[in-house]
Amino acid sequence: MEKTAKHKILLSLIALLAAGTVWGQAKADFKEVNQYLEQIYKENQNFQSSKKRVFTPEILARKQIMESTHQTEIDSIFKLYGWLKPPLISKKATQAYFLVIQQADIPYQQKYQNEVFKAAQERAIKASDYYLFTDRMRMLQNKYQIFGTQAKTDDAGNFYFIPIDTSLVSGRKIPVLPDGDYIYFSGPQFVTLFLHIYNEAMTEGIPQAQIYLDGEKIGETNDKGFFQKRLSRFTNSKEIKIRKNNKEKTIRITNSKNADWLDQNIILK
């Protein structure tokens, strides 16, 4: 569907909303709504599908414009129809709602948080989609996850897991977790610290760098310059010192926002 045609459909939907169109009167428009949502789905998938894509500033700017446009479009459709699902529209069209909300920033996600939950209850989306959404929203807020769907990768190739909050999993089956040297679980009494120690050019991680917290050695980085440690929760300032041969660097970290986990990139030169 061409962009101009797509915009015409949106304008017609907004016009129906402004005229006070009710559910029964709007049924004839489901075909156009379906086409419109499927186009959002297609644009989103086309952008995300290229695993080899290099995200230059220009591409990131296009991505931001696309996501902002999709959010406005979903807002308009939501006001008129709510979250439509099969057989009124296709599975791809239904999934378009979720893709846009899932990739949005925190305020937009919070706006539709209850709608995502209801969509999962009504099977408009899969339960696994709801798990991804919940964990990703918590991760963006530096909170521990609930369902165990989120991990990160740093520039040195370290894959690391965002811990599951043990206070939120009582009575629930724990998911199958990846094998590796990860901190899998934590809780409100702890802060998990992730450190990435790079060389000056940030081309590689520095292995076996010694890590000190408030003067006490707490460990060293792995072969790719990565370090992780679960600490007693704090909100005050802590001194972190990194040493490797004749190189040394001291930084101070705080947890004034009471985050569950802290993630720091450090250049040692």
Side-chain angles (χ1 to χ4, degrees):
M1 192 188 310
E2 294 182 359
K3 186 175 181 181
T4 53
K6 183 166 171 266
H7 285 177
K8 285 180 181 178
I9 294 173
L10 179 60
L11 290 173
S12 67
L13 294 176
I14 294 173
L16 287 171
L17 177 61
T21 302
V22 296
W23 177 268
Q25 293 171 314
K27 281 188 176 180
D29 300 294
F30 284 159
K31 183 177 180 180
E32 286 190 338
V33 175
N34 185 80
Q35 288 178 308
Y36 194 81
L37 286 167
E38 284 193 352
Q39 182 65 14
I40 291 175
Y41 177 92
K42 181 180 178 180
E43 290 174 1
N44 189 289
Q45 292 297 94
N46 285 346
F47 200 94
Q48 302 294 334
S49 62
S50 177
K51 295 182 179 180
K52 297 181 179 180
R53 182 188 297 274
V54 177
F55 284 93
T56 63
E58 292 78 12
I59 291 176
L60 288 174
R62 282 174 45 209
K63 180 175 182 288
Q64 186 175 13
I65 291 170
M66 181 194 73
E67 290 176 348
S68 177
T69 301
H70 286 173
Q71 289 167 27
T72 300
E73 293 165 347
I74 289 296
D75 281 339
S76 299
I77 294 174
F78 234 112
K79 287 177 182 177
L80 184 57
Y81 295 112
W83 196 314
L84 297 171
K85 58 182 183 292
L88 296 175
I89 61 173
S90 69
K91 290 182 179 180
K92 286 184 179 180
T94 297
Q95 191 71 8
Y97 288 90
F98 174 74
L99 290 176
V100 172
I101 298 170
Q102 166 78 344
Q103 293 161 9
D105 55 16
I106 287 295
Y108 196 89
Q109 289 184 337
Q110 289 174 329
K111 176 180 176 181
Y112 288 110
Q113 185 175 3
N114 291 337
E115 298 296 341
V116 174
F117 177 69
K118 286 193 294 184
Q121 282 188 315
E122 296 170 0
R123 299 186 179 181
I125 61 173
K126 295 181 290 187
S128 58
D129 288 336
Y130 175 70
Y131 301 159
L132 285 168
F133 169 79
T134 300
D135 281 346
R136 185 174 186 275
M137 187 167 71
R138 291 182 65 84
M139 186 185 74
L140 292 175
Q141 295 173 299
N142 280 77
K143 294 180 180 179
Y144 292 135
Q145 57 183 324
I146 299 176
F147 300 103
T149 65
Q150 299 297 307
K152 301 180 74 176
T153 305
D154 69 12
D155 291 338
N158 292 291
F159 181 86
Y160 56 110
F161 188 75
I162 304 302
I164 295 173
D165 190 334
T166 52
S167 69
L168 301 175
V169 298
S170 178
R172 182 173 58 79
K173 184 179 179 181
I174 299 301
V176 177
L177 300 173
D179 291 330
D181 183 22
Y182 308 122
I183 298 174
Y184 290 106
F185 302 100
S186 195
Q189 69 271 42
F190 298 109
V191 175
T192 302
L193 179 65
F194 300 117
L195 299 179
H196 315 263
I197 315 301
Y198 293 102
N199 62 1
E200 188 171 358
M202 288 200 72
T203 55
E204 59 184 21
I206 296 180
Q208 285 74 58
Q210 299 176 348
I211 310 296
Y212 295 81
L213 175 68
D214 289 338
E216 178 184 353
K217 184 178 178 181
I218 58 173
E220 59 183 38
T221 58
N222 66 9
D223 291 341
K224 295 181 180 178
F226 176 68
F227 174 80
Q228 57 185 345
K229 186 78 173 179
R230 194 174 67 173
L231 307 172
S232 296
R233 186 165 293 253
F234 65 93
T235 55
N236 59 322
S237 177
K238 297 282 188 181
E239 181 184 87
I240 297 287
K241 185 171 291 185
I242 304 100
R243 291 176 179 167
K244 177 65 184 287
N245 299 331
N246 62 340
K247 297 178 180 179
E248 180 177 299
K249 184 164 186 175
T250 300
I251 65 167
R252 297 202 71 86
I253 59 172
T254 60
N255 190 21
S256 58
K257 295 184 179 180
N258 200 28
D260 289 341
W261 53 276
L262 302 172
D263 205 344
Q264 297 275 333
N265 292 327
I266 301 168
I267 296 175
L268 184 61
K269 57 181 179 179

